[in-house]
Amino acid sequence: MAHMTNPLATVDQLYQRTSFSALPSDLQDAIFFTTQCLTQAAGILLRIPQSVTAQANVILARYWLVESPLAHEFSDTSAAALFLVAKLSAHPCPPRDVCNVYAYLLSPSSVLFKSGSSDKGGGVEDKDKGDPSSYYLSESAYASFRARILALEARILYSLSFDTHVALPHPLAITYLQALDFLDLPRAEIARRVVAYLNTALLSPQLLYLTHQPHALAVAAIYAAARDAGAKMPACAWWEVFDVDREELGFLVVGMRSLEGWVRAQREGEDGVLSAKANGMVTRAYVEGEMRKRGLRIGNGSAGDEMEDEEMALMRQMDEKASQLEG
Amino acid sequence: MASKSRWADTEEDAALEAKKKREKEEKKRLKAEKAQKAEAERRAQAEAEAAAKQRAAQEQQQRLEPPDDNIPPTKRRKITPEQDDQEKDGTTENESSAKLLRFEAGGWGKSRSVENYDKLNDIEEGAYGWVARAKEIKTGKVVALKRLKFDPNDASGLPETGLREIQILKDCSHRNIVSLREVVVGDDTSRIENIFLVLEFLEHDLMSVLGDMPEPFLASEVKTLLLQLASGVAYLHDHWVLHRDLKTSNLLLNNRGQLKIADFGMARYVGDPPPPKLTQLVVTLWYRAPELLLGAKTYGAAVDMWSVGCIFGELLTREPLLQGKNEVDELAKIFELCGIPTDESWPGFRRLPNARHLRLPKSSGTNTGPIIRARFPLLTAAGSALLSSLLSLNPDRRPTAKEMLDHEFFRQDPKPKHEAMFPTFPSKAGQERRRRRSTPNAPGRGQKAADLGTMDFSGLFASREKEERGGGFSLRMV
Ligand SMILES: Nc1ncnc2c1ncn2[C@@H]1O[C@H](COP(=O)(O)OP(=O)(O)OP(=O)(O)O)[C@@H](O)[C@H]1O
Ligand SMILES: [Mg+2]
């Protein structure tokens, strides 16, 4: 049993991601980050333990290497991943609870993704905040939301060939910490930072959880946390004891520490995808609008294309090839 | 386009579709021929692309990195995070010589279509399930296809039982556990409605073999089977899996004497300590441990060991050991064979939810011990000691699967028979015949645990006293 390891993304999959739907990478990163944040927020409101929500983050990330994010509304995909992973855990959530929580998080009442008190442009009137009618879900809206989630649940499973195994680095990191001794600092303080790094990495469009094994993530988080805290680390190449080489460690540490800067830039920059201008959860409509503005064609991966099955696509390709040759 | 799965259609439909498929295949072949010429061209292009991919994938990972972090840039990914310190003590030289463990684990991608398989014959078509023998078209390999049972109108989506079965089988790799080759889906992937487990095919299940045998298994054969069962169960328990439905129809046997545990529809991962709220609705009645019948909500690996005991008995006689008609009757059958529980033999049993209503006869020397030896007169002392311990009422007294493997019984003559020397049996699964189920079903989803009400077993042991005189006994249930 491969309890401690994860399947990893192939080079092809990572490449394909860059080519999906001609989706510019800044938009793709924004979609990834905001959707993962949404999953986390929903996990908290649903009182799902972080260990379960974290698995949903990983499952969602894996799914988006198989099918374009544009194939479905991002928030639906988030809800389906969370619903599925919770169902398999010791903390299942009824579909109705999931729907209610997402309806709230996506409503104007939610403070998620709203930049503080500053209300430059498109913000919600204060009186709308906390107005329950803004996130009331009618019976028919509920039924269609549930239908979309259930269809996506099966879709996600199919795209991952039904493998829902996710090994998280968190317990490993705690075990490793026990073996290490950063003498001068209380272990709890380092542990807190380690867990924060690991949780933040879940949100990172760098997909670290898809490209590196849990033991490496654990060691990198410890390294980054210890350095932040100014802890004195063993002088030897201690990471090798945990089967991580310095090359991988260096890569991961840089990756883990870079997210914060990226988020800040996206939030504060004029054209940042997380700026107040974008306001609220990134949606498919927003992304498509952005793409039109930039004069980009919205390519494959939109819902309609799914109807064409692979066989037909193959036939069509062959037709094209043949006519090229003839012509 | 075949929108509905071929598996669900009638024979005529199948024939028609086969014809359509042939025509399609022919069309495809012609096109393929044309396209082939383009192939060489494409390949050269692909090679160039692959190189680009490598680059792109790396860039994709790096594009978030800020230009001036205080850690040296990782463009070449050859940098140590704390260069200054480490370079001194020579770790750079050591680096290449350090032997680090590499973890290999596959990737992921879409499920294939069930159309990669040709159905050969149905094996089992029960109230819930459907299992067929099939052949992979490309390789000719024979497999078993098991359809995931679910109701597409279920408001809670795919059943967690089926998904757990898949996950657990995917995680398991052991010679005594049936292996899952892949999970495939119906051809129409716009809606995922037909899901099939592709399992390695084994010719028999143990229940059918037992039902057909003119003579019971030899002691040496029983030992081989039990060792394999215990070794599979030990693997599961070692990996925190409870099977929760061990019975002879869920044990498969191939023609090389190999036994494999199947049907993980009830199985789940448990931690230590076990989760506090496990369902008691597990394990088919005849194999269900007394603590489950008495309503225990926390239970563990010992419930599987009870089932192993029941299977042991069944291997000896070719008949299920404890064929209760309902929960109360099952308990009565258990107490008859194993004796009644006492506060010494099973401390705390009275606190189990259903035990409050239990009226037991006064315990005495004759009714608190098992009568395994009397029931299996041909079994050696070691054999009946093992069976009695597996059938301990108190779950804590049952041996673990690992302990069972070390039991004296397996070292004594006759020695376990070599698997290769195992007799072969006519395979029902391999032929067109269908079998009828003859054990009760595993408990269904959403069923309610029985509240057993008052159970009066006080007359139970009239039988033991009367046994010599050949008299029957009657069991009163209030
Ligand atoms: N890999 C296999 N090779 C051969 N036969 C198999 C295989 N898997 C299952 N079978 C046959 O199908 C029967 C039912 O399979 P299984 O126990 O896995 O499903 P189930 O959930 O119990 O289905 P049901 O609800 O119909 O009992 C088994 O008793 C066995 O006879
Ligand atoms: Mg079965």
Side-chain angles (χ1 to χ4, degrees):
Chain A
M1 274 193 212
H3 266 316
M4 308 298 232
T5 60
N6 281 322
L8 295 182
T10 61
V11 169
D12 271 355
Q13 283 174 328
L14 294 172
Y15 171 73
Q16 199 193 349
R17 177 167 186 258
T18 62
S19 66
F20 261 147
S21 337
L23 193 55
S25 65
D26 64 328
L27 289 179
Q28 200 163 131
D29 291 350
I31 294 169
F32 188 91
F33 176 78
T34 51
T35 309
Q36 297 292 34
C37 287
L38 179 67
T39 312
Q40 280 287 330
I44 291 167
L45 292 187
L46 287 163
R47 297 206 177 80
I48 295 172
Q50 169 63 4
S51 59
V52 177
T53 310
Q55 292 183 50
N57 286 138
V58 176
I59 290 292
L60 173 62
R62 286 183 193 163
Y63 170 63
W64 274 348
L65 283 194
V66 180
E67 292 204 308
S68 163
L70 288 180
H72 305 272
E73 186 55 78
F74 317 130
S75 53
D76 287 352
T77 313
S78 159
L82 188 58
F83 171 70
L84 166 63
V85 173
K87 175 193 282 186
L88 295 173
S89 79
H91 304 269
C93 282
R96 188 173 287 274
D97 292 1
V98 176
C99 292
N100 284 337
V101 160
Y102 275 84
Y104 167 73
L105 286 172
L106 299 171
S107 75
S109 294
S110 159
V111 293
L112 186 67
F113 305 122
K114 308 279 162 40
S115 30
S117 55
S118 71
D119 53 0
K120 33 175 177 162
V124 194
E125 301 293 313
D126 265 353
K127 63 176 164 53
D128 279 357
K129 282 200 178 145
D131 172 10
S133 69
S134 75
Y135 50 91
Y136 168 76
L137 203 55
S138 74
E139 206 47 37
S140 66
Y142 165 64
S144 80
F145 192 94
R146 190 187 65 197
R148 295 200 306 274
I149 291 187
L150 296 188
L152 256 164
E153 172 190 44
R155 192 80 203 164
I156 293 173
L157 283 165
Y158 155 68
S159 301
L160 305 180
S161 1
F162 292 81
D163 196 345
T164 47
H165 168 81
V166 177
L168 291 175
H170 303 60
L172 278 181
I174 300 304
T175 311
Y176 292 176
L177 265 183
Q178 239 114 74
L180 289 163
D181 216 355
F182 298 122
L183 304 159
D184 42 337
L185 279 168
R187 208 173 263 143
E189 166 59 15
I190 306 244
R192 198 186 53 75
R193 286 171 189 264
V194 168
V195 169
Y197 266 114
L198 292 176
N199 287 336
T200 309
L202 287 165
L203 314 174
S204 164
Q206 291 178 105
L207 313 181
L208 298 179
Y209 277 74
L210 305 195
T211 53
H212 294 268
Q213 290 295 354
H215 72 283
L217 294 169
V219 168
I222 291 174
Y223 187 98
R227 254 192 67 162
D228 287 356
K232 191 157 163 33
M233 281 184 259
C236 59
W238 55 271
W239 44 86
E240 288 184 353
V241 176
F242 303 109
D243 297 304
V244 181
D245 62 32
R246 70 173 54 187
E247 198 183 311
E248 188 176 16
L249 175 64
F251 176 78
L252 283 172
V253 169
V254 173
M256 284 182 176
R257 303 180 101 194
S258 66
L259 185 71
E260 204 183 325
W262 176 81
V263 173
R264 200 178 310 115
Q266 295 301 319
R267 237 182 226 141
E268 290 165 6
E270 259 300 283
D271 295 321
V273 271
L274 304 176
S275 63
K277 204 178 60 177
N279 188 52
M281 174 66 195
V282 173
T283 61
R284 208 154 52 148
Y286 168 80
V287 168
E288 285 169 2
E290 271 301 300
M291 287 176 72
R292 262 191 300 276
K293 256 191 256 166
R294 300 184 196 183
L296 292 166
R297 210 173 62 87
I298 299 154
N300 65 45
S302 59
D305 286 356
E306 272 177 275
M307 304 316 290
E308 182 180 75
D309 79 27
E310 282 164 37
E311 178 117 282
M312 293 299 286
L314 188 71
M315 299 276 272
R316 191 170 42 74
Q317 272 171 16
M318 286 176 167
D319 281 339
E320 282 165 10
K321 270 270 146 41
S323 63
Q324 260 174 24
L325 286 176
E326 280 155 10
Chain B
M1 219 45 257
S3 63
K4 200 160 147 224
S5 167
R6 174 150 55 95
W7 303 98
D9 293 344
T10 63
E11 260 173 51
E12 291 91 323
D13 287 342
L16 203 86
E17 254 173 48
K19 184 163 162 274
K20 271 200 275 180
K21 197 165 169 184
R22 269 197 308 279
E23 287 168 4
K24 213 163 67 182
E25 222 99 71
E26 178 62 9
K27 228 166 96 189
K28 207 156 86 182
R29 197 184 57 77
L30 287 175
K31 285 187 181 169
E33 234 163 57
K34 279 190 192 168
Q36 219 163 31
K37 290 182 223 144
E39 183 57 33
E41 206 180 306
R42 202 164 56 204
R43 202 169 295 151
Q45 208 184 323
E47 264 157 32
E49 250 173 43
K53 276 182 197 178
Q54 287 277 8
R55 254 178 285 123
Q58 281 195 5
E59 275 162 25
Q60 122 90 14
Q61 284 203 357
Q62 290 168 352
R63 67 176 184 241
L64 286 189
E65 289 161 24
D68 53 2
D69 196 284
N70 54 358
I71 295 186
T74 55
K75 283 279 157 9
R76 281 162 52 244
R77 296 229 229 143
K78 265 285 166 212
I79 279 77
T80 173
E82 280 275 84
Q83 259 177 337
D84 32 14
D85 271 357
Q86 268 87 52
E87 227 100 310
K88 287 186 251 159
D89 49 48
T91 38
T92 353
E93 279 98 75
N94 292 344
E95 187 186 39
S96 50
S97 62
K99 278 267 175 294
L100 306 184
L101 267 181
R102 284 282 150 240
F103 299 93
E104 301 299 343
W108 62 86
K110 284 182 184 169
S111 294
R112 298 202 304 156
S113 161
V114 70
E115 302 296 329
N116 287 295
Y117 294 88
D118 264 337
K119 187 176 105 169
L120 298 174
N121 59 272
D122 288 340
I123 299 175
E124 168 102 9
E125 200 168 10
Y128 310 102
W130 178 90
V131 181
R133 193 167 70 109
K135 196 168 80 179
E136 187 178 23
I137 295 167
K138 200 171 69 199
T139 61
K141 182 124 187 132
V142 173
V143 299
L145 287 182
K146 176 175 173 175
R147 175 191 246 126
L148 191 82
K149 347 171 185 177
F150 74 97
D151 171 7
N153 297 319
D154 190 333
S156 48
L158 296 175
E160 75 273 17
T161 48
L163 299 180
R164 280 199 189 125
E165 172 170 26
I166 292 173
Q167 193 57 53
I168 290 175
L169 282 173
K170 272 183 186 273
D171 292 345
C172 284
S173 153
H174 188 270
R175 67 189 300 275
N176 298 119
I177 291 168
V178 70
S179 73
L180 175 67
R181 292 163 52 93
E182 63 175 324
V183 181
V184 294
V185 297
D187 217 17
D188 175 13
T189 56
S190 66
R191 301 198 59 179
I192 307 296
E193 283 181 332
N194 292 301
I195 300 169
F196 303 86
L197 282 68
V198 182
L199 300 159
E200 66 174 311
F201 174 78
L202 283 89
E203 287 84 352
H204 320 277
D205 68 71
L206 209 46
M207 185 179 81
S208 325
V209 168
L210 287 167
D212 282 356
M213 288 175 88
E215 296 291 327
F217 280 117
L218 300 172
S220 60
E221 293 163 352
V222 170
K223 287 182 187 178
T224 309
L225 293 172
L226 280 179
L227 277 176
Q228 296 188 69
L229 173 59
S231 135
V233 173
Y235 175 87
L236 292 177
H237 291 174
D238 226 27
H239 291 87
W240 306 106
V241 174
L242 296 190
H243 185 282
R244 306 198 299 183
D245 198 16
L246 291 174
K247 56 177 172 180
T248 47
S249 66
N250 288 342
L251 301 178
L252 305 175
L253 191 64
N254 67 17
N255 276 335
R256 279 153 285 130
Q258 246 185 14
L259 175 147
K260 301 196 188 227
I261 301 172
D263 194 354
F264 283 68
M266 288 273 155
R268 66 164 290 163
Y269 280 111
V270 290
D272 185 23
K277 280 187 319 201
L278 292 171
T279 169
Q280 310 131 47
L281 271 166
V282 291
V283 194
T284 305
L285 186 61
W286 296 348
Y287 303 81
R288 198 178 301 164
E291 65 270 27
L292 292 171
L293 290 163
L294 291 176
K297 289 195 179 68
T298 39
Y299 53 83
V303 301
D304 282 342
M305 297 317 292
W306 176 273
S307 308
V308 169
C310 297
I311 292 165
F312 188 173
E314 189 169 342
L315 289 177
L316 297 170
T317 63
R318 291 170 292 164
E319 277 285 315
L321 183 61
L322 295 159
Q323 307 184 36
K325 292 195 252 320
N326 51 47
E327 275 96 341
V328 177
D329 190 36
E330 183 69 20
L331 266 179
K333 295 249 163 28
I334 289 173
F335 293 157
E336 260 181 275
L337 180 67
C338 307
I340 54 169
T342 65
D343 292 320
E344 293 80 60
S345 70
W346 188 0
F349 84 93
R350 284 181 203 282
R351 284 196 296 275
L352 292 175
N354 293 337
R356 280 172 294 149
H357 312 293
L358 207 57
R359 280 186 51 203
L360 295 167
K362 255 177 75 145
S363 54
S364 71
T366 57
N367 66 9
T368 54
I371 51 163
I372 302 278
R373 291 228 63 172
R375 184 93 175 251
F376 300 97
L378 296 179
L379 196 57
T380 61
S384 75
L386 175 59
L387 183 50
S388 305
S389 66
L390 287 166
L391 297 178
S392 303
L393 295 174
N394 179 354
D396 295 339
R397 294 211 179 168
R398 287 172 219 148
T400 64
K402 263 212 197 86
E403 286 164 355
M404 175 173 167
L405 286 169
D406 285 333
H407 199 274
E408 158 99 59
F409 175 57
F410 299 108
R411 289 194 299 270
Q412 282 181 348
D413 284 332
K415 294 278 190 303
K417 192 175 213 166
H418 203 282
E419 283 167 25
M421 307 296 287
F422 234 71
T424 57
F425 311 93
S427 167
K428 284 189 172 176
Q431 291 157 6
E432 293 281 354
R433 258 192 296 165
R434 287 187 199 175
R435 264 175 287 118
R436 287 179 53 80
R437 170 188 316 282
S438 56
T439 56
N441 288 327
R445 264 203 323 147
Q447 252 169 262
K448 267 276 206 353
D451 176 1
L452 301 187
T454 309
M455 294 173 280
D456 185 355
F457 294 137
S458 49
L460 193 57
F461 288 90
S463 66
R464 279 204 188 172
E465 277 111 54
K466 279 189 216 148
E467 223 157 45
E468 294 84 61
R469 285 176 275 134
F473 71 95
S474 66
L475 175 62
R476 266 188 313 131
M477 275 173 279
V478 185

